[in-house]
Each structure stands twice: as structure tokens, then as C-alpha cells.
């Protein structure tokens, strides 16, 4: 999309937003607390300080909510950098092109924060009259407006507040239609961002021109969706937003996919080969007369995990796909290691209890030498609990559950030994 067309589209979105809200939400400068944050150190999980409270206030005030209620919610920010803060920072980093988006608020994040909070806020007049000659300024205005539009979509759009609060079938249906349209518009915005990034990352892709054309179509569809939404034609808004999503997805495909998608696809292919190799090794051992019962069980588990990873990939949850692929690889490696080992569950339970006993002795020795053993004792207690449950499952003739619990216990034992 040309700078002029992109500017025109976002300008009209801004006007519609102003008409609906009846306030200067789109053109207001950043909230006051955002400008008062003075980050003189890097922030990460586990830290405390008033600068963390300020960061939480900034995130809550700009569409990256820590929590909708309770601790961390707007007005209830804290001085502690914990899981919810880290997750909100990751979303902010992803939305503002800070990579890696790890949740660590370091030099790159501090620099981006300074850029976002010190740049002059765009006004409607600035956007409508912007000249395409100044591409950098134009892009900054468009990005700022889109960021503010995201905040608007996070829940500040009116929900028929002027109408009677008495519930009715028609009112409920309208509210549901509005929510569906709003959710689709949010998804379209995310997809368009992904398509933008995919095109930037793959400028030499064979179908890059087609990708750009599809992205243009997606952005036009998004404008139509926003126009329909602000005119309260939610059915048309949903339809246009879905068109935007499909066109953005086509743009991503033409560009060769996003970086996360390519990484996940490569990882799935890699683990698929690892599982194939493990299966060949197990088959060879079986031909040689070795006991492979336990190995085959673990191989089946690896295949199931890979299937789950592929499902996550299809759902575009690439991080989950990568995590499941890692688990599948570990299970395949365990399968190879299990070649020749007895599949008798009672024997497996005895072996695990022996391993637990040895691990406790190792932890005791380390503790006596004042070595930092971390959570080793807690992990071993969890392992013992799993083995007790496995014994109960075995008493109930549930060998499959018993085997699973034994494997879980063995993993915990290994984790405990890795603590020091």
C-alpha cells in the first residue's frame, strides 16, 4: 500500500472513531503517567521497584493490560515484576518490533519506550494533511494511530450504552454481533502486522509482489470493516474483517510465512526425521531379539506429541508447536535409550524407586557441603508422590497410567539432579 493510501485509510478510521466516542481519544497525547517513567535500569522477572509500578501503569494505559481485575489491574499496579508483567511486556515488544520479545525490559525496550513516549502525538489535522514527501514522519503517524486504534479496540468502544440496559433477545444478539466483529477486526490487525513483517523479512521471495497486493487488499478490507463497525453494521464489519484476515494470510503465504512459522515448520520436519530414525533403530533391535516393548511405548508417545505439535502449528500457535516438538524429540530419545530394558511395570517401578533413593543420597551430600541445591528436595518429593500414585495405578491394573507416572517421576528426578 502506498504511503498516501495508508494515510488516507487510517485518517478515515480516526474520523469514524471520533464520531463514535464523542471525545478526542484518538488524538490525545499519551497518558501523563507514561511520560513520568524514568527507567535507569533494565527490568526483568523477580525485580521490585517503583519503576516497575510505572511500567505497569504505562502498559495498562496503552492496551497491554496486566490484569483485568485484582492485582496488576488498572489502579492496582504493583512494584513487583512477575509473570503477568512479563507477559504484558512480551505483547508490547511484539507489537512494537522489539526482538527478541522475551519479556526482558532491557536497553532495546527502554529505547523504544523513549521513542514512543517522547514523539509528538498525531492530530487529526496532521494526518489528513500529511505530505507523502516525508515518508518517515508519515509512517510514524500511521503507526501511532494504529497503536491508539488497538487501544480503542481493547474494550473502549461503546457498547450501546445509550440504549436501555434491560436485556432482550435482540439486544443480546446485537451485543454478540458487535463482539464478533470487534474480535475479527483485532485479528485482522494482527494478521496485517504479521504480513507486514513477513514481507519485510522476505523481500526476495518469488511471490513477493503478490504478497504486497494481498496486503493492500487486506488493508482496504480492514478500512471497510472499521467503517461498517462504526456505522453499527456489525454483520458487514465481520464479513469485511474476515476478508482482511484471508487476504493477510495469503500475503503471509506468498511471502514465505512469518519467521516464527518458518522456524516451527523446520523444527517439526527435524523432529519427524528424529522419530523416523528412532523407529528404524527400534525395529533393528527387535529383529535382533532385544526387548523393545518399553521403547515402542515411548515411541508412540513421541508420535502423539508430534501430532499435537502439528495441530498447534495448524492453529498458528507456533510457540506451542515448538514446545511440543521438543517434548516429542525427548520422548524419541528416551525410546532409543529404552531398547533392551524390561517393559515389566513392576520392574520399572523398582528401578525408579532405586533411582530416587540414589538421587536423595546425592542431594544430601551436596546439601552437607553447603552446595546450593535449589528445589531439589521438592522435586524429589514430587517424584516420590508420582511413584506412590503409580503403585496405586498398578494395583488397579492400570498399567498405562502407572507407566506414565513412572516416567514423570524419572523426569522429576533428573530435574532435581540438575539443580546443583
Amino acid at each position: 500500500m502506498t504511503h498516501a493510501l495508508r494515510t488516507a485509510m487510517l485518517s478515515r478510521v480516526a474520523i469514524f472513531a471520533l464520531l463514535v466516542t464523542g471525545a478526542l481519544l484518538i488524538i490525545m497525547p499519551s497518558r501523563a503517567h507514561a511520560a513520568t517513567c524514568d527507567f535507569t535500569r533494565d527490568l526483568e522477572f523477580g525485580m521490585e521497584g517503583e519503576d516497575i509500578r510505572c511500567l505497569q501503569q504505562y502498559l495498562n494505559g496503552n492496551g497491554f493490560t496486566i490484569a483485568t481485575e485484582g492485582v496488576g489491574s488498572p489502579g492496582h499496579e504493583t512494584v513487583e515484576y512477575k509473570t503477568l508483567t512479563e507477559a504484558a511486556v512480551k505483547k508490547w515488544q511484539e507489537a512494537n518490533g522489539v526482538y527478541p520479545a522475551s519479556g526482558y525490559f532491557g536497553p532495546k525496550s527502554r529505547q523504544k519506550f523513549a521513542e514512543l513516549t517522547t514523539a509528538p502525538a498525531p492530530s487529526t489535522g496532521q494526518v489528513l494533511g500529511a505530505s507523502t514527501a516525508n515518508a518517515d514522519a508519515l509512517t510514524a503517524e500511521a503507526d501511532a494511530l494504529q497503536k491508539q486504534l488497538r487501544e480503542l479496540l481493547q474494550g473502549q468502544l461503546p457498547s450501546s450504552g445509550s440504549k436501555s440496559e434491560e436485556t432482550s433477545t435482540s439486544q443480546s444478539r446485537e451485543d454478540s454481533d458487535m463482539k464478533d466483529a470487534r474480535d475479527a477486526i483485532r485479528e485482522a490487525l494482527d494478521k496485517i502486522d504479521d504480513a507486514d513483517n513477513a514481507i519485510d523479512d522476505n523481500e526476495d521471495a518469488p511471490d513477493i509482489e503478490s504478497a504486497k497486493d494481498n496486503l493492500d487488499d487486506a488493508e482496504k478490507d480492514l478500512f471497510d470493516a472499521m467503517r461498517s463497525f462504526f456505522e453499527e453494521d456489525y454483520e458487514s464489519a465481520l464479513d469485511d474483517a474476515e476478508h482482511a484476515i484471508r487476504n493477510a494470510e495469503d500475503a503471509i503465504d506468498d511471502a514465505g510465512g512469518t519467521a516464527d512459522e518458518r522456524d516451527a515448520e523446520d523444527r517439526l520436519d527435524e523432529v519427524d526425521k528424529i522419530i523416523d530414525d528412532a523407529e528404524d533403530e527400534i525395529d533393528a533391535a527387535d529383529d535382533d531379539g532385544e526387548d523393545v516393548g518399553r521403547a515402542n511405548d515411548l515411541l508412540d508417545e513421541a508420535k502423539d506429541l508430534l501430532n499435537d505439535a502439528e495441530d498447534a502449528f495448524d492453529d498458528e500457535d507456533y510457540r506451542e508447536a515448538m514446545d511440543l516438538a521438543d517434548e516429542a524429540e525427548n520422548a524419541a530419545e528416551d525410546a532409543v535409550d529404552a531398547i533392551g530394558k524390561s517393559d515389566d511395570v513392576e520392574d520399572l517401578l523398582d528401578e525408579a524407586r532405586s533411582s530416587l533413593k540414589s538421587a536423595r543420597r546425592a542431594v544430601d551430600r551436596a546439601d552437607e557441603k553447603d552446595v546450593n541445591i535449589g528445589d531439589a528436595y521438592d522435586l524429589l518429593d514430587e517424584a516420590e508422590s508420582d511413584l506412590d500414585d503409580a503403585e496405586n495405578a498398578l494395583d488397579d491394573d492400570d498399567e498405562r497410567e502407572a507407566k506414565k507416572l513412572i516416567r514423570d517421576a524419572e523426569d522429576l528426578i533428573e530435574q532435581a539432579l540438575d539443580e546443583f
Side-chain angles (χ1 to χ4, degrees):
M1 177 176 285
T2 65
H3 285 297
L5 181 57
R6 181 178 178 84
T7 303
M9 182 188 80
L10 293 175
S11 300
R12 283 175 281 179
V13 170
I15 292 171
F16 282 124
L18 288 171
L19 290 174
V20 174
T21 59
L24 298 180
L25 180 60
I26 290 293
I27 62 174
M28 285 183 354
S30 299
R31 300 187 183 189
H33 64 249
T36 61
C37 292
D38 183 18
F39 298 118
T40 58
R41 59 174 181 161
D42 297 342
L43 304 177
E44 61 182 330
F45 183 87
M47 295 179 67
E48 296 185 4
E50 284 300 324
D51 47 359
I52 293 171
R53 188 195 306 278
C54 194
L55 175 61
Q56 290 182 0
Q57 290 171 341
Y58 166 75
L59 293 168
N60 279 336
N62 287 277
F64 303 94
T65 310
I66 306 293
T68 56
E69 60 182 2
V71 176
S73 63
H76 300 280
E77 292 84 0
T78 73
V79 297
E80 298 179 337
Y81 200 113
K82 292 189 175 179
T83 304
L84 294 178
T85 305
E86 186 177 60
V89 168
K90 287 181 182 179
K91 292 179 181 178
W92 175 84
Q93 289 171 329
E94 290 170 354
N96 289 285
V98 179
Y99 296 105
S102 62
Y104 172 71
F105 197 79
K108 291 182 181 178
S109 296
R110 290 162 59 187
Q111 180 180 353
K112 176 58 69 173
F113 172 83
E115 292 172 2
L116 294 174
T117 56
T118 58
S123 68
T124 303
Q126 287 175 324
V127 175
L128 289 173
S131 167
T132 58
N134 190 343
D136 290 340
L138 190 62
T139 301
E141 289 178 3
D143 289 345
L145 180 56
Q146 182 162 320
K147 175 173 171 289
Q148 291 170 332
L149 177 60
R150 285 182 182 282
E151 181 178 351
L152 187 68
L153 286 170
Q154 288 298 320
Q156 297 187 26
L157 287 169
S159 56
S160 305
S162 60
K163 300 179 181 179
S164 170
E165 293 184 2
E166 297 179 5
T167 58
S168 65
T169 302
S170 60
Q171 179 64 61
S172 297
R173 185 180 300 114
E174 182 177 358
D175 289 344
S176 176
D177 290 345
M178 184 187 73
K179 181 180 182 298
D180 290 342
R182 185 176 64 191
D183 290 345
I185 290 171
R186 289 176 182 166
E187 184 177 353
L189 280 166
D190 289 337
K191 288 291 184 184
I192 287 172
D193 277 349
D194 289 341
D196 262 325
N197 292 332
I199 289 172
D200 288 343
D201 292 340
N202 303 283
E203 293 180 355
D204 296 329
D207 296 326
I208 196 66
E209 292 305 320
S210 176
K212 292 178 180 178
D213 289 342
N214 281 317
L215 178 57
D216 286 349
D217 291 340
E219 290 178 318
K220 293 171 186 174
D221 290 333
L222 176 61
F223 164 66
D224 290 339
M226 291 301 303
R227 178 177 59 190
S228 296
F229 187 94
F230 290 126
E231 290 175 351
E232 299 186 11
D233 183 359
Y234 302 128
E235 185 176 347
S236 295
L238 176 60
D239 187 54
D240 289 329
E242 289 176 342
H243 279 298
I245 292 168
R246 287 194 292 271
N247 280 320
E249 288 175 340
D250 288 343
I252 293 170
D253 290 340
D254 289 339
T258 63
D260 287 345
E261 181 181 2
R262 292 194 303 275
D263 289 345
E265 187 172 20
D266 290 344
R267 182 66 176 134
L268 291 179
D269 289 342
E270 179 186 3
V271 174
D272 187 41
K273 185 178 184 308
I274 290 171
I275 289 176
D276 285 343
D277 291 344
E279 188 167 22
D280 290 342
E281 193 168 346
I282 291 170
D283 288 343
D286 190 25
D287 292 340
D288 291 340
E290 295 190 65
D291 189 339
V292 295
R294 185 181 179 192
N296 275 320
D297 285 343
L298 288 167
L299 186 65
D300 287 341
E301 182 180 337
K303 291 178 179 179
D304 289 341
L305 287 165
L306 183 60
N307 287 333
D308 291 341
E310 290 169 346
D311 289 341
F313 182 88
D314 291 339
D315 292 337
E316 299 180 14
D317 190 346
Y318 302 125
R319 176 171 294 182
E320 177 68 8
M322 296 276 278
D323 290 342
L324 287 167
D326 289 342
E327 292 183 33
E329 180 183 11
N330 290 336
E333 291 173 348
D334 290 344
V336 173
D337 291 340
I339 292 174
K341 294 184 178 179
S342 171
D343 194 38
D344 184 86
V345 183
E346 291 186 359
D347 288 345
L348 296 178
L349 185 58
D350 289 342
E351 289 175 15
R353 288 201 182 278
S354 177
S355 296
L356 177 63
K357 188 175 181 180
S358 296
R360 285 197 183 279
R361 286 198 296 268
V363 174
D364 287 341
R365 286 195 297 271
D367 192 27
E368 289 171 0
K369 296 179 181 178
D370 293 328
V371 174
N372 183 359
I373 59 171
D375 297 325
Y377 279 128
D378 291 337
L379 290 166
L380 292 179
D381 287 342
E382 289 181 45
E384 185 169 11
S385 177
D386 280 347
L387 293 179
D388 290 341
D389 291 341
E391 190 166 354
N392 292 333
L394 193 56
D395 290 340
D396 294 335
D397 295 326
D398 190 349
E399 290 192 359
R400 185 180 183 85
E401 177 64 14
K403 289 179 182 179
K404 178 183 178 301
L405 288 164
I406 292 169
R407 287 196 295 271
D408 289 344
E410 289 171 339
D411 288 342
L412 288 167
I413 292 169
E414 186 175 342
Q415 291 176 38
L417 294 174
D418 287 341
E419 286 287 292
F420 57 95

